[in-house]
């Protein structure tokens, strides 16, 4: 059993604090940038276009992740305190919102690029962009663990975590670590498929969505966080994380069952 007394602050100089979460998040983004550049080079795609695309993706990620937290999980509070929505430094990002923001940003980039180059296909970059995303998710979850947030449900298992940093004396599932491990496994699966080079259009994109949201749906059963007891009946008793994962899972199943057999391999 692990006793959690971790300090979320890596360094504090006067009123300036450097938190482990922020450092891990930045390291995840840096890895994603350099890794995705390598992926584009290996796939003979334009690195210059990627650098332009990074700007769209950064703002899409940040805005989407923040608004996802605001509207999906804390709307009763932010509806009464709208000025706090922009206080992103106080924390509050959501992965489902981040995915929506990334998709919207990429769609905007796609239509702009399509006007310049009619031969540009949507999957041309999307199948490459998704490969490194799990590493960012892994780093974020490790940061969540250090911060003692996104808690798991109670457990008697020997690998349970007692969050003394929160004043608790009960053991919980280290669900943040479960999700970090799942993200790492997904990364290596995507990388292995990419190196194989024999994929159909959109295969990488939908494989990522299926693995990521499928794992999120399963691991939510170990999570205390985000259970909607007063949300009405639309979640069907699921946590918000599970409810938000259902749509991308269904979309990916439609792709693999109906569209995938009809698509030709990329040349």
């Amino acid at each position: 059993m692990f006793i959690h007394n971790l300090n979320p602050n890596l360094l504090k100089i006067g009123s300036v604090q450097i938190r482990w979460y922020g450092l891990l998040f930045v390291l995840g983004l840096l890895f994603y940038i350099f890794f995705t550049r390598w992926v584009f080079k290996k796939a003979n795609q334009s690195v210059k276009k990627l650098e332009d695309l990074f700007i769209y993706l950064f703002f899409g990620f940040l805005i989407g992740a923040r608004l996802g937290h605001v509207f999906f999980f804390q709307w009763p509070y932010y509806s009464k305190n709208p000025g706090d929505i922009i206080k992103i430094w106080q924390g509050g990002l959501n992965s489902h919102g981040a995915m929506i923001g990334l998709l919207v940003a990429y769609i905007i980039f796609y239509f702009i690029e399509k006007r310049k180059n009619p031969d540009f296909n949507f999957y041309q970059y999307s199948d490459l962009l998704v490969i490194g995303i799990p590493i960012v998710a892994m780093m974020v979850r490790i940061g969540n663990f250090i911060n003692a947030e996104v808690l798991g449900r109670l457990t008697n298992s020997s690998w349970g975590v007692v969050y003394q940093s929160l004043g608790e004396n009960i053991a919980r599932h280290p669900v943040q670590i479960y999700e970090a491990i799942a993200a790492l496994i997904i990364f290596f699966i995507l990388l292995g498929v990419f190196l194989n080079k024999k994929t159909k259009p959109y295969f990488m994109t939908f494989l990522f969505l299926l693995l990521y949201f499928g794992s999120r749906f399963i691991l939510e059963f170990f999570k205390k966080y985000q259970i909607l007891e007063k949300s009405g009946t639309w979640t069907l008793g699921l946590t918000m994380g599970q409810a938000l994962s259902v749509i991308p899972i269904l979309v990916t199943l439609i792709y693999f069952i109906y569209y995938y057999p009809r698509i030709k391999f990329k040349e």
Side-chain angles (χ1 to χ4, degrees):
M1 198 147 311
F2 181 81
I3 306 300
H4 188 292
N5 277 313
L6 301 176
N7 186 349
N9 293 321
L10 171 63
L11 184 65
K12 184 176 181 180
I13 304 176
S15 60
V16 178
Q17 296 180 353
I18 299 177
R19 298 174 67 89
W20 281 106
Y21 181 94
L23 176 63
L24 290 166
F25 181 56
V26 170
L27 289 176
L29 288 180
L30 289 175
F31 173 87
Y32 179 80
I33 290 171
F34 288 106
F35 173 79
T36 306
R37 283 174 57 89
W38 173 80
V39 168
F40 266 59
K41 288 180 180 178
K42 196 167 184 64
N44 296 317
Q45 297 294 337
S46 171
V47 175
K48 177 62 173 63
K49 292 293 184 182
L50 175 63
E51 293 171 350
D52 296 337
L53 178 54
F54 275 146
I55 299 175
Y56 291 81
L57 296 179
F58 175 78
F59 285 103
F61 173 86
L62 202 61
I63 296 172
R66 182 57 173 173
L67 293 182
H69 172 76
V70 169
F71 289 109
F72 296 150
F73 299 102
Q74 296 293 334
W75 180 240
Y77 170 80
Y78 286 107
S79 63
K80 298 177 182 178
N81 302 275
D84 289 349
I85 294 177
I86 64 173
K87 296 180 180 179
I88 197 169
W89 57 88
Q90 295 182 352
L93 301 176
N94 167 252
S95 59
H96 292 85
M99 294 299 175
I100 295 173
L102 288 172
L103 176 60
V104 171
Y106 183 70
I107 289 174
I108 294 173
F109 172 85
Y110 167 75
F111 281 111
I112 293 175
E113 186 63 24
K114 190 72 172 179
R115 293 179 63 182
K116 302 176 184 177
N117 179 14
D119 294 329
F120 180 67
N121 294 307
F122 193 88
Y123 70 84
Q124 192 170 328
Y125 290 170
S126 69
D127 280 354
L128 305 177
L129 291 168
V130 297
I131 302 173
I133 291 178
I135 294 299
V136 181
M138 179 189 75
M139 300 297 271
V140 167
R141 284 304 183 228
I142 295 174
N144 291 145
F145 178 75
I146 296 174
N147 280 352
E149 57 192 7
V150 191
L151 301 180
R153 300 181 187 182
L154 301 183
T155 180
N156 293 319
S157 61
S158 59
W159 59 81
V161 176
V162 178
Y163 292 92
Q164 286 189 356
S165 54
L166 298 178
E168 294 188 348
N169 59 3
I170 51 178
R172 297 184 179 277
H173 281 284
V175 69
Q176 315 95 321
I177 302 302
Y178 297 168
E179 291 190 337
I181 293 172
L184 185 62
I185 293 172
I186 292 170
F187 168 73
F188 282 115
I189 292 174
L190 295 176
L191 179 60
V193 174
F194 169 70
L195 293 176
N196 187 47
K197 297 182 179 180
K198 295 180 180 179
T199 60
K200 294 182 179 182
Y202 298 106
F203 178 82
M204 297 293 292
T205 301
F206 284 105
L207 178 62
F208 162 74
L209 292 174
L210 180 62
L211 293 175
Y212 179 77
F213 287 107
S215 66
R216 279 296 304 271
F217 187 92
I218 294 171
L219 291 176
E220 285 283 329
F221 286 111
F222 298 93
K223 190 181 296 184
K224 171 192 173 185
Y225 190 55
Q226 301 163 355
I227 296 178
L228 303 181
E229 298 177 351
K230 299 179 181 180
S231 62
T233 60
W234 77 271
T235 58
L236 301 178
L238 302 174
T239 69
M240 177 60 97
Q242 288 175 319
L244 293 173
S245 297
V246 168
I247 293 178
I249 290 174
L250 291 177
V251 171
T252 58
L253 290 177
I254 292 172
Y255 166 80
F256 282 112
I257 294 173
Y258 183 78
Y259 289 100
Y260 180 77
R262 294 166 172 79
I263 299 175
K264 297 180 179 180
F265 276 98
K266 292 186 290 186
E267 295 181 359

